[in-house]
Amino acid sequence: MADSFDRAPGAGRVRGKPSNPGLVEASSPRAPEFGSEDAKASLFSHREPLRQPRSSPPPAEDTRRQSKTSNPVQNNSSTPALKAQRSESLVLTSSLSANAPEFYPSDYAYSEPVYEDWGDEYYASASLADLVQGILSHLNSSPGSFEVDIDDITATLNEWVTTEDTLKELVELIYMQSTSIPNFSYTGARLCNYLSQHLIISPSNGSFRHLLLQRCHSEFEKKNQAVCGNEETQRKFHSYVLFLGEIYLNLEVKSANGPPKRADILLVALKDLLTTLFSNPVDGNLTCAVKLLKLTGSVLEDTWKEMKQPHMDEIMQKIKGVVLDATCSRDVRQMLLKLVELRSSNWGRVHAAAAASEATPYNDPNYFMNEPTFYTEDGTPFTAADPGEGPNKC
């Protein structure tokens, strides 16, 4: 009995046994009887190899691990030290040289550059225009630097503008820049005001201010044709009108007694330009008139009131007539109505606060600003300006 159990586990198992036992008997000799020596030898000599345990690694992995641990230098072949060694070996074996001649393609023909000497006449004839264009471009891109740079700009122009011709050229360059670029009209007007007071040259035919007003007057004479012209002509005329409005607000005329004042001749010109724009009430002309009144309306009305002239009331009547009768677009009509509303609110200006002893809710818009805060029974803030029951102070 002990001999029958003296075997390895799974030694007596047979895999792949055929379904027909007769085939086994016919093709193989009869197996020895169980318990005999021949049976034990046949069992142990013909059994299948045992399956490897799950915890042990596969033989291939062991082989790879042994190869990795046995050759540590080969795995570090990509280290920086080895790369440096390879680079040094390439440099030592290279045939390139830093002293080699420059490489040119076979069909390349080198020629020495030719420099033409234009002489001093070229630079003298082109420098003023280039200088002024550079100054205007700088002020256009950086209008906030006007106060910082204007002294240097004036000093530079005083060095170049020494004749009447150069002064006329300067006036023309500033005028063209101010009317061709809408956003530059304000800066251009400020520049004109400063140069009119600080340019040294003053020829017999007129100063900078005189030449500037002369240039504006020449364009003023074309107003009747420009207001009825094509789209490009009207666009240039509208730019001129807005620039003239900026000139009126910024150009100061020194008086013998008292502070500087505005040019009265421009006041008359702006009134005539407004009349001309409303004479042909198309969208472009009406839009230009609205922009001009938004820009100068408060100053024009104050000046006309001092002169006891009802010109602003007449202009408002024309606007109301255009809104009722003209075939302008809906957007332009809304602009005109907003302008009338702006004028009725004193051009958006807030009156100065009255003295504390004379302040009332009717003459001081800040009358209720410093009042204490009260609350109603349900917690709603309540001031003396609100109607209703008496407040409960908390």
Side-chain angles (χ1 to χ4, degrees):
M1 188 68 178
D3 296 337
S4 63
F5 288 95
D6 189 12
R7 62 184 177 85
R13 299 177 186 175
V14 179
R15 296 183 181 180
K17 185 177 181 180
S19 59
N20 189 359
L23 294 174
V24 178
E25 293 178 357
S27 59
S28 60
R30 185 177 182 84
E33 293 183 1
F34 185 78
S36 61
E37 296 294 335
D38 295 338
K40 292 181 180 180
S42 62
L43 284 173
F44 286 100
S45 60
H46 292 88
R47 68 174 182 269
E48 296 180 358
L50 296 179
R51 178 177 59 82
Q52 297 290 336
R54 295 181 182 274
S55 60
S56 62
E61 292 185 3
D62 292 340
T63 305
R64 286 198 298 269
R65 287 184 179 180
Q66 292 177 1
S67 63
K68 288 181 180 180
T69 55
S70 59
N71 298 324
V73 178
Q74 295 179 359
N75 296 332
N76 297 330
S77 59
S78 61
T79 58
L82 291 178
K83 288 183 177 180
Q85 293 178 0
R86 293 178 179 177
S87 301
E88 292 177 359
S89 62
L90 290 175
V91 171
L92 294 175
T93 58
S94 176
S95 60
L96 299 177
S97 174
N99 300 323
E102 297 180 5
F103 170 76
Y104 294 100
S106 57
D107 56 346
Y108 177 78
Y110 176 76
S111 60
E112 290 288 343
V114 178
Y115 301 98
E116 298 183 8
D117 186 10
W118 295 92
D120 297 336
E121 182 180 356
Y122 170 79
Y123 296 100
S125 62
S127 60
L128 178 61
D130 294 340
L131 174 66
V132 174
Q133 288 294 344
I135 292 172
L136 298 180
S137 299
H138 169 69
L139 293 177
N140 183 43
S141 60
S142 304
S145 64
F146 182 89
E147 298 290 345
V148 179
D149 299 333
I150 189 60
D151 290 335
D152 295 336
I153 291 173
T154 306
T156 304
L157 291 176
N158 278 324
E159 295 177 0
W160 291 102
V161 181
T162 56
T163 63
E164 184 179 352
D165 293 337
T166 54
L167 184 61
K168 288 182 179 180
E169 183 181 1
L170 175 64
V171 170
E172 183 66 23
L173 289 170
I174 295 176
Y175 174 85
M176 293 302 299
Q177 177 88 354
S178 301
T179 55
S180 60
I181 302 178
N183 292 335
F184 190 74
S185 58
Y186 169 68
T187 305
R190 294 181 66 193
L191 180 62
C192 290
N193 177 57
Y194 195 90
L195 294 180
S196 67
Q197 301 176 20
H198 295 86
L199 277 181
I200 299 175
I201 182 173
S202 181
S204 58
N205 293 336
S207 60
F208 178 89
R209 181 175 63 249
H210 178 75
L211 293 176
L212 175 65
L213 295 178
Q214 228 177 27
R215 179 65 179 86
C216 293
H217 180 73
S218 64
E219 200 72 22
F220 177 82
E221 296 293 331
K222 307 174 185 177
K223 62 182 186 300
N224 294 325
Q225 295 81 12
V227 78
C228 300
N230 55 28
E231 183 178 355
E232 181 63 20
T233 304
Q234 289 187 7
R235 185 190 65 79
K236 292 181 179 179
F237 176 68
H238 298 158
S239 299
Y240 156 74
V241 171
L242 296 178
F243 175 61
L244 197 67
E246 294 286 3
I247 287 291
Y248 174 69
L249 295 178
N250 291 276
L251 187 63
E252 297 177 347
V253 180
K254 292 183 179 181
S255 59
N257 298 321
K261 60 180 182 179
R262 294 186 174 91
D264 294 335
I265 188 174
L266 296 179
L267 180 67
V268 179
L270 291 177
K271 193 260 179 186
D272 292 342
L273 288 173
L274 286 170
T275 303
T276 304
L277 289 170
F278 285 115
S279 66
N280 185 24
V282 296
D283 286 356
N285 292 334
L286 294 176
T287 302
C288 179
V290 170
K291 290 180 179 180
L292 180 61
L293 286 171
K294 284 184 176 180
L295 177 66
T296 62
S298 61
V299 178
L300 292 177
E301 184 167 14
D302 292 344
T303 306
W304 286 332
K305 281 183 178 180
E306 293 177 0
M307 301 169 63
K308 300 186 183 305
Q309 295 177 351
H311 294 321
M312 188 57 68
D313 294 332
E314 296 173 0
I315 292 174
M316 290 297 120
Q317 289 298 326
K318 290 181 180 180
I319 291 176
K320 293 177 182 179
V322 169
V323 171
L324 294 176
D325 300 334
T327 59
C328 57
S329 64
R330 179 180 178 182
D331 293 338
V332 175
R333 186 177 287 108
Q334 290 294 328
M335 290 175 60
L336 294 171
L337 293 175
K338 290 291 185 182
L339 180 65
V340 175
E341 182 180 352
L342 180 64
R343 193 252 178 166
S344 63
S345 65
N346 195 23
W347 303 100
R349 295 177 293 184
V350 178
H351 291 291
S357 59
E358 302 175 358
T360 65
Y362 304 100
N363 64 5
D364 188 357
N366 302 322
Y367 181 78
F368 296 107
M369 182 175 295
N370 297 324
E371 287 290 316
T373 303
F374 298 90
Y375 297 91
T376 60
E377 295 179 355
D378 58 352
T380 304
F382 188 92
T383 65
D386 296 329
E389 301 177 358
N392 298 323
K393 185 174 181 180
C394 63

